[in-house]
């Protein structure tokens, strides 16, 4: 075995790991040597000293995130292999095309790299660490990214100021690890977007709605579209291309509204079908006229960031969807989403069902949506499924 600190589990606590679930909870640990530090690579063994895997240690409820179930050295070659595998999947999905250069290359556990997210925008990779271990590996990851055949990464921007556990006191700095600022216009399905990885939310763009935006486009012809929580205006731009009669984009952040206007302008200069408003979504729905819109998108931020917030989150989804059901025109289509990982598909559907019943409208589910294929779910880690959406036909 390679020389690493060894964490020994309590009897029976290896069961989920034997089924390839990649997390060791702190309560499962029987013993570990003194001096282990957050971010260390450790080996994990069962109570009877059977080797289980290697992973990154951290303080908290998830104590180890398994990187490999073999006795593997975690070095640049390891990351190069994993990144090559991740890229092989994206190549199969044909996401790197002349008309599309924005996609997720690494989706944490879904790409067997727990704690790591990498989004690609043209020649720039935006790297986000969610664990101290990945934070310490950032330079190796950046090097491995630029050395990938088949992918032309010239700039690697590291953006983990808000994603690392605060208590770890890592004081991460958002910065370029390789290269520097490049054109920040990325192309998604032939549409152009300014991506603000320096100051924007997450890695600068929500690539996870790509397929759902394309679906929305196909429903947009002749409709009056209301894009709630628009952020960069992704859904709005697709609706415009789909032939919407009118598009209203709403976000409480003035910065988001400026981004949306810029993105609409980039694709449809001087097109007066679009209007962007910096306003609270709930307020807008309260004051909007009945039947003003017949295609509404509700894509709010995660209402439940943790399990403890679940009840309030479900109430929030119900309240929001009820307001949309109340106001949407007959024959309207509602795209409604939840990106809270703590809210299950069933719980979300129940919240929307309750809202529909409260509004007494006739509502049918015409599509059930999820995250796209570049956000894969490791079958042994069902927690990786987070995006849920319903497309509803409202009479
Ligand atoms: N639909 C977007 C992503 C939405 S992110 C996309 O496809 O890219 C969530 C957005 O909701 C953020 O831009 C945030 O500013 C906005 N937001 C949060 N609370 C809000 C509220 N009460 N009213 C309106 N917008 C809100």
């Amino acid at each position: 075995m390679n020389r690493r600190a060894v964490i020994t589990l309590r009897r029976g606590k290896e069961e989920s790991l034997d089924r390839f679930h990649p997390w060791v909870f702190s309560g499962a640990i029987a013993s570990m040597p003194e001096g282990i530090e957050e971010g260390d690579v450790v080996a994990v063994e069962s109570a009877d000293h059977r080797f289980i895997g290697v992973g990154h240690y951290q303080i908290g409820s998830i104590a180890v995130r398994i990187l490999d179930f073999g006795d593997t050295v975690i070095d640049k070659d390891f990351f190069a292999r994993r990144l090559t595998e991740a890229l092989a999947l994206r190549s199969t999905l044909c996401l790197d095309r002349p008309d599309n250069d924005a996609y997720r290359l690494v989706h944490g556990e879904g790409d067997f790299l727990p704690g790591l997210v990498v989004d690609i925008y043209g020649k720039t990779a935006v790297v986000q660490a969610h664990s101290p271990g990945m934070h310490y590996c950032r330079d190796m990851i950046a090097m491995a990214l630029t050395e990938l055949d088949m992918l032309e990464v010239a700039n690697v921007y590291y953006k983990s100021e808000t994603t690392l556990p605060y208590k770890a006191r890592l004081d991460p700095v958002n910065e370029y690890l390789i290269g520097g600022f490049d054109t920040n216009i990325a192309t998604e399905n032939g549409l152009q977007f300014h991506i603000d990885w320096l100051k924007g939310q997450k890695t600068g763009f929500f690539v996870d709605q790509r397929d759902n935006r394309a679906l929305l486009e196909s429903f947009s012809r002749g409709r009056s579209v209301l894009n709630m929580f628009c952020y960069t205006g992704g859904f709005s731009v697709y609706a415009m291309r789909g032939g919407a009669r009118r598009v209203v984009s709403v976000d409480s952040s003035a910065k988001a509204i400026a981004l949306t206007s810029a993105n609409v302008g980039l694709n449809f200069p001087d097109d007066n079908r679009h209007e962007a408003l910096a306003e609270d979504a709930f307020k807008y729905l309260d004051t909007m006229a009945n039947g003003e819109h017949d295609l509404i998108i509700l894509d709010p931020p995660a209402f439940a960031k943790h399990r403890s917030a679940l009840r309030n989150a479900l109430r929030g989804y119900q309240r929001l969807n009820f307001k949309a059901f109340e106001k949407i025109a007959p024959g309207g289509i509602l795209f409604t989403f939840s990106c809270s990982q703590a809210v299950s598909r069933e719980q979300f559907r129940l919240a929307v069902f309750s809202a529909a019943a409260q509004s007494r409208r006739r509502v049918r589910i015409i599509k059930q949506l999820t995250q796209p294929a570049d956000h894969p779910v490791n079958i042994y880690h069902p927690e990786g499924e987070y995006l849920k959406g319903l497309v509803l036909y409202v009479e």
Side-chain angles (χ1 to χ4, degrees):
M1 195 187 281
N2 291 300
R3 286 201 342 180
R4 282 170 296 230
V6 177
I7 286 185
T8 308
L9 301 180
R10 289 166 47 207
R11 201 156 296 284
K13 292 297 182 188
E14 71 285 3
E15 273 178 18
S16 62
L17 293 149
D18 282 342
R19 280 181 270 113
F20 305 113
H21 191 281
W23 292 347
V24 175
F25 290 98
S26 55
I29 294 176
S31 68
M32 57 186 211
E34 266 177 43
I36 292 190
E37 299 211 7
E38 278 209 278
D40 281 355
V41 174
V42 295
V44 177
E45 62 171 30
S46 63
D48 53 9
H49 306 298
R50 178 168 55 85
F51 175 83
I52 289 183
V54 289
H56 278 143
Y57 171 75
Q58 84 183 72
I59 297 168
S61 141
I62 304 169
V64 183
R65 292 160 197 259
I66 298 288
L67 297 163
D68 200 89
F69 288 100
D71 189 6
T72 304
V73 179
I74 305 304
D75 56 8
K76 196 181 85 181
D77 286 348
F78 165 79
F79 285 106
R81 286 196 303 277
R82 282 284 199 271
L83 290 172
T84 303
E85 289 158 9
L87 190 57
L89 171 60
R90 276 62 182 183
S91 306
T92 306
L93 303 172
C94 293
L95 288 171
D96 201 347
R97 316 182 301 262
D99 69 334
N100 195 90
D101 61 9
Y103 57 93
R104 178 153 292 190
L105 176 62
V106 176
H107 185 59
E109 284 82 354
D111 285 292
F112 311 109
L113 287 169
L116 183 68
V117 163
V118 181
D119 283 342
I120 302 289
Y121 301 114
K123 288 189 168 44
T124 301
V126 182
V127 172
Q128 218 164 40
H130 292 256
S131 68
M134 286 299 181
H135 173 70
Y136 291 126
C137 293
R138 63 194 183 283
D139 288 317
M140 279 195 288
I141 295 165
M143 284 301 290
L145 273 167
T146 55
E147 286 169 16
L148 283 175
D149 297 336
M150 318 267 302
L151 191 68
E152 253 185 89
V153 170
N155 317 297
V156 179
Y157 188 65
Y158 184 63
K159 191 174 191 216
S160 305
E161 274 179 8
T162 57
T163 56
L164 284 165
Y166 174 72
K167 284 191 195 140
R169 296 175 161 270
L170 299 167
D171 301 324
V173 175
N174 290 348
E175 61 181 348
Y176 284 97
L177 298 176
I178 291 177
F181 193 73
D182 202 337
T183 165
N184 67 340
I185 293 181
T187 310
E188 186 184 270
N189 288 324
L191 293 165
Q192 295 195 300
F193 293 95
H194 291 280
I195 314 285
D196 188 358
W197 52 76
L198 299 182
K199 294 201 201 77
Q201 301 173 44
K202 304 273 168 90
T203 65
F205 193 62
F206 285 77
V207 276
D208 59 357
Q209 288 288 24
R210 183 183 48 246
D211 293 355
N212 302 330
R213 288 178 191 129
L215 180 70
L216 175 100
E217 179 179 355
S218 71
F219 285 118
S220 298
R221 183 152 302 280
R223 291 194 181 257
S224 174
V225 179
L226 172 62
N227 181 12
M228 285 296 201
F229 310 93
C230 63
Y231 184 32
T232 58
F235 282 104
S236 308
V237 177
Y238 278 75
M240 303 274 291
R241 187 168 69 178
R245 174 163 52 86
R246 176 185 176 215
V247 179
V248 177
S249 305
V250 176
D251 198 290
S252 55
S253 144
K255 259 199 232 151
I257 289 305
L259 256 177
T260 294
S261 302
N263 284 331
V264 171
L266 193 60
N267 294 277
F268 302 96
D270 307 317
D271 191 324
N272 59 12
R273 289 176 297 158
H274 182 255
E275 189 184 336
L277 304 169
E279 202 174 319
D280 177 76
F282 290 87
K283 246 196 211 148
Y284 181 89
L285 284 169
D286 280 340
T287 51
M288 124 186 189
N290 261 334
E292 192 175 337
H293 297 287
D294 55 1
L295 178 45
I296 299 181
I297 302 121
L298 301 176
D299 184 24
F303 281 170
K305 294 237 158 56
H306 297 286
R307 233 158 243 295
S308 55
L310 186 62
R311 271 170 68 99
N312 278 341
L314 291 174
R315 254 186 247 127
Y317 287 120
Q318 182 177 340
R319 205 158 72 85
L320 179 66
N321 281 275
F322 169 66
K323 286 183 190 293
F325 283 130
E326 257 192 323
K327 296 288 176 77
I328 195 167
I333 297 174
L334 176 64
F335 274 63
T336 183
F337 296 97
S338 162
C339 61
S340 307
Q341 197 241 303
V343 173
S344 73
R345 190 165 283 281
E346 290 67 34
Q347 286 166 324
F348 177 60
R349 193 165 147 166
L350 192 62
V352 177
F353 155 82
S354 306
Q358 195 185 348
S359 75
R360 308 195 61 79
R361 302 281 296 260
R362 252 169 84 162
V363 178
R364 280 178 277 175
I365 298 174
I366 55 175
K367 280 259 182 208
Q368 311 209 32
L369 307 177
T370 182
Q371 62 216 52
D374 53 339
H375 294 57
V377 181
N378 175 343
I379 202 161
Y380 307 111
H381 178 260
E383 297 92 330
E385 186 185 346
Y386 69 99
L387 185 61
K388 303 151 284 284
L390 294 169
V391 184
L392 304 164
Y393 186 71
V394 187
E395 286 171 73

